[in-house]
Structure formats: structure tokens, C-alpha cells
Amino acid sequence: MSQQSLTRKNGPDGGASDRAARVLSAVVEGLSQGILVLDRCLRVVRCNASFRALVGLSASESLVGRYAPRLLAERAKGGCPLARGVRAHLREGSGTATLSIDDGRMIAFAVRRIAGANWIVVLDDITAASRSEAFAHRLARHDPLTDLPNRRHFLESLSRAVGQGPVALLCLDLDRFKPVNDTLGHPIGDALLRVVAERLCGAVRKGDTVARLGGDEFAVLLEGLDVAGATDGLARRLVDLIGRTYIVDGHMINIGVSVGIALAPNDAADPDTLLKHADLALYRAKGQGRGTFRFFEPGMDAALQARRRMETELRQALGQRAFELHYQAQQDLASGRINGFEALLRWRHPERGLVPPVEFIPLAEETGLIVQIGEWVLRTACKEAMRWPDDVSIAVNLSVAQFKSPRLVAVVAAALKTTGLAPRRLELEITESLLMQNDADHVGVLRALHDLGVRIAMDDFGTGYSSLSTLHSFPFDKIKIDRSFVDGLKRDPRSAAVVHAVAALGGCLGIATTAEGVETDEQLQDLIAKGCTEVQGYLIGRPLPAEEAIRLLDPIRSPTAARTQEH
Amino acid sequence: MPKTLHRLVYYSKNAIDLPKDGLEAEVRQILTAARHNNPALGVTGALMFNQGCFAQVLEGPGEGVTRTFERIQRDPRHRDVMLMAFDRVEERGFATWSMAFVGASAEGRARYGGIAAESGFDPSRLTGSRVFQLLRDLVVEEEDQPCVGA
């Protein structure tokens, strides 16, 4: 500090404290809080501009020495509700309060003793802060996109309602919403969700609660004595209404909704169980084709438990090597030889014995376990094929889930490499539905597999929607004609025509055509006449365990070889 | 899709479960509401009601047509709404009608009845432009006749 400033500070008596008092006074005057200082008898010592403004006193009015309670009473009479509140709290002595004023303002009030005998009253306008707090509160309880109550808020409402009387809980899940987001983009998806929310709100009664639980999940809560009767009609209406076409930003969009319903107190007396039951019913509605609603039934829980148990067992089966492959022969009609086998998955369950694939493959697909199971199938089938003559191939089915796995091509390459099987002996069978889901991606994977040297067969041909166009999308090595056409050869001229046409088409394109499900000699002759190149079915051989299948390849002991030689 | 002119055609099944008098009152109310709401949105069009079915043409700015259609979609008085067309067009077919109504004249009934029989009430067998043309022809024919609710 310089000598000069020291000199100044120690200047004439009183100068420094005067200055300090003036600074303090200016600070007090400029505070946004209203300040009122009173003596021990509640007479005004001073007040600042904010205080005057809050209680409506003009700057010119001299207040010093006025008895504050009387002053405030006058202002209250003069139309200042805040003055009344301040007066009331002042009489109670030291303390704090929040005063709500009729005009919507929120004022924080505090009074306490200072400097011994004096009182200080502080008024603070907290309207803006409390509004943003209310806003934050609302934000925490509402979905910002649709402005509906969010999950947290809804669960609170549900808990409260369940204790008060009959309640119907509807859990809603939009059908086909994801493709909208994927193909048209999130802004359109968001706009669509807003319209869905509006439709839901417009369909319920006043007082019912509609909430967005997240993503494309919504919920509706009905309360009152008549809920059981009203729910059926509302659910029907919601399925109809949400399923109606939307136009969003010029795009025509069609989605649907699945609804699961649980009633309290009938189905459950507590909110958690009620929610669980509504979810079970929703799960059932989705499983039964979507675009529909289901009420909870006690059996649903048991069905889901059984499903969960099976999922656990499937996982264990994978670890415990409880799967096995059976092999079904394919016969080349030109030579009469068995030229390949299709590998078919079986599950040897510790209690139920051999479980047919139809009972566990859908679950394996749904849970994604099929990817790991599929890897095992590929390795095992390739390894088994190595025991067969070089000109006998092995066909393995690929599922949609496997196609979605980015590792598929690597898995196939690894199976070939570790077993040493020549790629051309491996035939991968895919279904038409796969190509219809996401053409570009799946065709790319097919090409990569083709590049490995493996052959690609179209399975169950004719059961999809656009058979010819799928044939066009990829150079298949083989078409497998679905068993339903073979079954109808005799009875249904249309089946016969399809088989004939596909065989001719295969002939023109240079693609092998395999007829599946061949059971009678008559069918076999018919298929030969129609120009099919291969057959598969019980007539040629049932699916057999590896040790029995390999015996079919022994020309001396093979009944099939002996039989076909007769022709 | 800002100010460009769009035309929307839909077909739906009547869900009003009322005797004839009540039904006519409801349809009148639908027309009154349409004629009240549509001008502000720049929407014009025509409504056909007959034999338990509605067919309607809405035309105007994309936004106005979209909003009007969304309001119609939420109406519980019909069901199985089938959107037959939503396209950009060069000009309006019902420029002078906030909502023309077809179904009042005996001739209109006969004509529409014939079409309905021909298509077997199967909306998928009529195209959007066919419905539009049909409505326009009928509106021109009925133009001088008193309309319900007009």
C-alpha cells in the first residue's frame, strides 16, 4: 500500500466511517430485497426502495418514526395484501414465512432482531424462483415430448388409485412403431407419438389418466365403480383409433396398438402386481397377432413362468451339449443317389425326452439363443459331413436372428476352416421371409456367404408373399419347394401347377429344385415327370441320428439305394 | 408440405347406431361442424353419406387437410376408415364448397346405389380418383337442389 493512501485513510476524524455508512446505505437502498429496520417499539428506523415498492409506499413519504403495524394496516386498507401479511407475521415476532399474494406473487418474509434492540424485516420476491421450481417439478413428472405424465408420475397415481377403489390399468404398446423411426426418422416418429398421445387423451373420460411410460409404451388408468364395464369398450375403441391411418408431415403412416388390461382389486390389490399382470396381458395380446387387447387371466402367469423355465433350460442345454442333430437324406433324381443330407436340430430334454424343434426354436429365435445354437449346429454338421464321401453335401438352416448377427459370415468361415469341409459341400438354407425384411442388408450377407464358396438354397419356396421377386434378388443355387405343394399334388391342380412351374423355372435358370415332404411313390413319379431334380421326405428317409444316417451311404446296406435301383 | 394444394379421399363405415331421423340429424351436425371449421383452414370438399357409408373428399393446403383429417379420424361416428388418396393437386374440385353434401337427391341416391352395388361395397375396388370423380359429378348434378344442413 502506498504512503499516499495510508495518509488518506487516516485523514480527518469521522471521514472513513461516514464514507462507510454512505456505502452501506447505498448498498441497502439498492438491494432487490425489501428491507425495513425498526426500533424496539416497532417504529421505523429506515427502509429501502424495494420495501417501499413492495408495500406500495411512495419515495417522498417520510416514514421514519412511524409505528410500523399502523403503517402496514393503512397500506393493507389501501389495497396492498402483502402489507396485511407482513403485519400479521410481524406481530408473531421472530420467524420466516412464505406469503402468497392474490396477484400470483410469492414473497419470502423474514423478521429477526439485530444489534440488540432493533428488528429487521426482509421481504424477497421469489415468484420467478418458485415458478422455475414448479417447472422443474413438472418436468420431473411429465414427458416433455407429449406433455403426458411420465412413468414416475403415473406410478404415483396408480398407487394412490389402487387404495381408493376399483381401478382398470391398460398398458399399451405401439405395433410397428420402430420401422417408422427407422425409415422416416426420429422427428417424424416424435410427431407421430404426439398425435398418438392426443388421440389417447381424446378417447378417455375426463378424470382418467393417460401417461407415456417411455418409448412407444403408454398407459391408461381408469378409476371408479364402473371401470370393469367401461374398460372393454374403451380398449376396443383405442385399438380402432390408434390403428387408424396417420398423416404426419405429408407421410401416410399406419401403426397399431396392443393393449393388456388388469383390474384392481380383482386381479391384484397392489400396484406392482397390477402392473405386472397388465404387462402379462399385453404380452399375450402381442403374441396373438398384435392390434388387439387382452384382459389378464391367472393362467398367463403360469404360461410365462413355463416360458421362463424353458428359456433357462435352453441355456443349460447349450452348455450341457443336450442338443443333437438328425440328418434327413436328399436324393438326386437323375442318378438315384443320395447326394446330401439336411441337418435338423433336436433337443434331448432330461425329463421330456426328444423335444421337436417347433416347440423350442421360436423361443430360441425370440431370445437370440438361436445364434449360439446355430454356431454349434454349423460346426457339428460340417464335422459330420467330413465322414461322408466327397460328393455328399450337408444342408444347414439359417434363421433370421442369425442373419442379424454381424458374425454370421465369420462363423461360417470358421466352421469350414476348423472342420476342413470343402465350402461347396455346405448348403445354407434360408426362407423367403428373410429377404423380405431388409433386402439390401441381407442380400449383402448372402453375397458374402456365396463368396466363401458355399451354396445358398431358398427354403419353403412358395409360402411367402413375393416368391418370384425374391428369386430375382439373389442367384440361388437351389429352390426347395414347400411340402404343402407336394402334399397337394394329387388333390389340388394349383399345387401341381406351382410345382411344375417352379421346376421349369429352375430348369431355365439352371437352379436345382428339391421337392420336400415326399411320402409316396406316386408323388415321386409325379415330381420326376414335372422335372424336379431332387427329392426329400419320408419316402427317401426320415431324419436319422448321425450313426444311422451314414449307413444310408453304404451302397450295400442302404435300402434306399436298393429301392431306387429297381426303378 | 407448406402451402401446396392437396387432395385427400377416404371411405369409412357408419358407426352411428340410431334410427333414420337420428342418423340424419347426426349427418346434418357433421356437415354444420365441417362448414364451420373448414373455411379457417382453407379446406373445401364434399361428403357422401349413403347406405351406411361415408366417402369424403378434402382439399386445401396440406396442413389444413392433415388437421381436418386427423379430427375426422378421431370421430367415433364412423369406423374402418380407409384412406384412398392423399396427393398434391393443381386445382380444387370443390372450390366453392366448404363441404358439399351428396345424398340428398333421389338421383344421387340411385347413382350412388348403383356404384355401391357394382363395387359390392368393397372400398378397395374403388380408387381414390374414382370416388373423387363420382362425388364431383354428383355435386354438379345436385348443385341446384336444396342440401341437408345448407
Side-chain angles (χ1 to χ4, degrees):
Chain A
M1 193 180 280
S2 71
Q3 189 62 41
Q4 205 177 11
S5 64
L6 274 173
T7 310
R8 246 186 218 167
K9 199 175 176 186
N10 297 329
D13 279 347
S17 58
D18 272 0
R19 258 201 310 280
R22 277 201 302 277
V23 168
L24 187 62
S25 182
V27 167
V28 169
E29 195 62 21
L31 281 175
S32 65
Q33 289 94 341
I35 305 289
L36 173 67
V37 183
L38 305 174
D39 66 13
R40 72 180 70 187
C41 303
L42 302 181
R43 283 187 298 253
V44 177
V45 176
R46 72 167 300 161
C47 67
N48 69 355
S50 294
F51 183 84
R52 286 170 184 270
L54 280 167
V55 297
L57 292 160
S58 73
S60 57
E61 202 169 345
S62 173
L63 302 177
V64 176
R66 296 281 310 271
Y67 181 56
R70 181 170 302 148
L71 179 70
L72 290 165
E74 285 170 16
R75 285 307 308 135
K77 264 190 201 154
C80 177
L82 176 61
R84 184 181 303 116
V86 171
R87 180 169 182 271
H89 281 89
L90 191 59
R91 289 164 74 97
E92 288 169 19
S94 188
T96 60
T98 302
L99 309 174
S100 285
I101 314 303
D102 295 344
D103 61 9
R105 283 183 301 163
M106 301 278 284
I107 309 292
F109 165 92
V111 58
R112 58 179 175 272
R113 280 181 173 266
I114 50 160
N118 285 10
W119 297 90
I120 181 166
V121 175
V122 180
L123 300 179
D124 197 358
D125 189 336
I126 55 166
T127 313
S130 67
R131 278 201 189 128
S132 70
E133 196 176 307
F135 180 71
H137 181 67
R138 187 176 166 75
L139 205 62
R141 292 160 55 82
H142 283 78
D143 165 42
L145 179 67
T146 59
D147 207 34
L148 292 176
N150 61 13
R151 178 182 287 273
R152 179 176 146 193
H153 187 177
F154 185 75
L155 293 181
E156 286 169 17
S157 304
L158 182 65
S159 300
R160 176 189 47 70
V162 165
Q164 287 177 347
V167 164
L169 169 63
L170 290 78
C171 284
L172 291 79
D173 210 86
L174 299 184
D175 306 326
R176 302 183 301 280
F177 176 72
K178 196 175 171 296
V180 173
N181 252 351
D182 291 348
T183 57
L184 299 176
H186 285 272
I188 301 277
D190 284 355
L192 177 62
L193 288 173
R194 275 195 291 267
V195 183
V196 168
E198 284 169 21
R199 286 193 185 179
L200 290 174
C201 291
V204 301
R205 303 169 305 183
K206 204 173 165 120
D208 294 335
T209 307
V210 177
R212 182 174 175 224
L213 303 186
D216 58 357
E217 291 173 60
F218 292 84
V220 176
L221 178 63
L222 306 184
E223 297 172 65
L225 291 171
D226 58 336
V227 290
T231 308
D232 189 89
L234 177 67
R236 211 172 287 278
R237 170 104 180 100
L238 292 181
V239 168
D240 172 27
L241 190 65
I242 302 304
R244 294 184 178 187
T245 305
Y246 299 77
I247 300 180
V248 179
D249 199 22
H251 300 280
M252 287 190 255
I253 300 173
N254 286 291
I255 55 168
V257 69
S258 301
V259 185
I261 306 160
L263 305 172
N266 294 26
D267 296 333
D270 68 284
D272 291 343
T273 312
L274 191 67
L275 197 61
K276 192 183 133 209
H277 286 176
D279 268 338
L280 279 170
L282 172 61
Y283 186 79
R284 178 64 64 90
K286 282 158 77 174
Q288 293 181 344
R290 301 166 189 270
T292 186
F293 65 95
R294 286 288 176 273
F295 282 87
F296 169 76
E297 291 161 18
M300 289 178 180
D301 207 10
L304 192 72
Q305 299 294 345
R307 200 190 110 94
R308 290 226 178 88
R309 196 161 50 241
M310 193 171 192
E311 188 183 332
T312 310
E313 287 172 347
L314 265 181
R315 286 181 196 283
Q316 288 169 348
L318 196 61
Q320 294 165 355
R321 300 276 179 264
F323 292 115
E324 39 190 86
L325 290 184
H326 285 194
Y327 300 88
Q328 187 171 30
Q330 297 173 332
Q331 187 183 32
D332 175 42
L333 289 174
S335 65
R337 284 181 47 256
I338 287 173
N339 67 344
F341 286 91
E342 178 177 356
L344 296 163
L345 184 62
R346 298 288 184 267
W347 176 16
R348 196 167 289 282
H349 190 277
E351 291 141 33
R352 297 163 62 195
L354 219 49
V355 184
V358 64
E359 285 183 33
F360 69 90
I361 294 287
L363 182 62
E365 289 252 2
E366 219 175 294
T367 54
L369 278 170
I370 196 76
V371 175
Q372 284 165 273
I373 296 173
E375 282 189 44
W376 176 85
V377 170
L378 265 168
R379 271 199 316 274
T380 310
C382 290
K383 198 166 138 198
E384 181 62 23
M386 285 300 285
R387 299 172 64 202
W388 305 337
D390 277 350
D391 54 357
V392 178
S393 63
I394 175 73
V396 175
N397 293 283
L398 289 184
S399 75
V400 175
Q402 282 173 285
F403 256 78
K404 285 181 180 154
S405 156
R407 295 170 50 223
L408 178 63
V409 178
V411 164
V412 172
L416 291 170
K417 191 160 181 240
T418 52
T419 58
L421 185 75
R424 62 171 175 79
R425 292 181 61 196
L426 176 62
E427 192 170 277
L428 298 173
E429 296 190 0
I430 65 148
T431 56
E432 280 178 87
S433 57
L434 187 117
L435 281 175
M436 276 176 274
Q437 293 185 359
N438 188 348
D439 289 21
D441 287 3
H442 289 163
V443 169
V445 175
L446 279 181
R447 286 193 199 289
L449 291 171
H450 226 193
D451 290 346
L452 292 176
V454 304
R455 287 181 292 153
I456 309 289
M458 162 79 80
D459 201 4
D460 302 337
F461 187 76
T463 55
Y465 294 102
S466 56
S467 307
L468 286 176
S469 70
T470 49
L471 270 187
H472 190 66
S473 61
F474 184 79
F476 287 92
D477 299 289
K478 183 189 274 189
I479 304 169
K480 296 188 80 176
I481 302 167
D482 190 66
R483 61 178 60 245
S484 59
F485 296 106
V486 175
D487 189 42
L489 271 177
K490 184 93 178 129
R491 292 176 282 104
D492 181 5
R494 278 173 298 186
S495 290
V498 169
V499 173
H500 193 90
V502 175
L505 190 69
C508 291
L509 296 172
I511 304 175
T513 44
T514 304
E516 292 184 278
V518 182
E519 292 181 359
T520 67
D521 214 39
E522 196 182 0
Q523 287 171 337
L524 180 69
Q525 296 310 321
D526 206 355
L527 291 163
I528 293 170
K530 288 193 162 45
C532 286
T533 58
E534 292 172 18
V535 284
Q536 180 180 339
Y538 281 8
L539 183 69
I540 317 306
R542 291 168 176 269
L544 298 169
E547 291 312 318
E548 292 177 43
I550 199 168
R551 265 184 255 146
L552 292 182
L553 296 168
D554 180 343
I556 299 156
R557 292 160 73 183
S558 164
T560 311
R563 191 183 51 71
T564 47
Q565 276 160 10
E566 287 164 17
H567 292 297
Chain B
M1 195 192 56
K3 291 281 178 201
T4 50
L5 203 55
H6 279 70
R7 178 179 302 135
L8 182 151
V9 183
Y10 79 86
Y11 187 105
S12 64
K13 292 197 180 127
N14 171 37
I16 308 168
D17 188 16
L18 287 173
K20 193 162 175 292
D21 290 357
L23 201 59
E24 279 176 8
E26 281 290 337
V27 174
R28 225 178 350 258
Q29 196 278 326
I30 290 169
L31 283 168
T32 309
R35 286 165 186 164
H36 178 260
N37 292 322
N38 291 352
L41 295 166
V43 171
T44 56
L47 173 73
M48 173 161 67
F49 175 73
N50 220 328
Q51 309 282 344
C53 296
F54 292 94
Q56 192 168 20
V57 175
L58 302 170
E59 46 189 28
E63 179 64 26
V65 170
T66 302
R67 278 176 58 187
T68 305
F69 181 63
E70 178 59 27
R71 199 181 61 232
I72 291 168
Q73 283 289 54
R74 294 179 202 176
D75 199 318
R77 290 174 293 195
H78 63 167
R79 62 190 167 80
D80 299 343
V81 179
M82 184 162 153
L83 183 57
M84 306 176 81
F86 180 60
D87 304 304
R88 281 178 65 165
V89 288
E90 292 303 315
E91 57 179 1
R92 292 176 192 256
F94 301 93
T96 57
W97 294 89
S98 62
M99 191 48 62
F101 180 65
V102 176
S105 78
E107 193 181 350
R109 264 187 246 269
R111 277 282 295 274
Y112 177 58
I115 295 293
E118 171 200 308
S119 71
F121 277 112
D122 179 0
S124 62
R125 293 181 60 184
L126 287 177
T127 63
S129 60
R130 178 90 181 91
V131 171
F132 168 70
Q133 279 304 335
L134 176 68
L135 277 177
R136 212 161 70 146
D137 294 350
L138 292 175
V139 165
V140 169
E141 277 174 27
E142 296 202 0
E143 201 140 26
D144 296 327
Q145 307 198 28
C147 279
V148 176

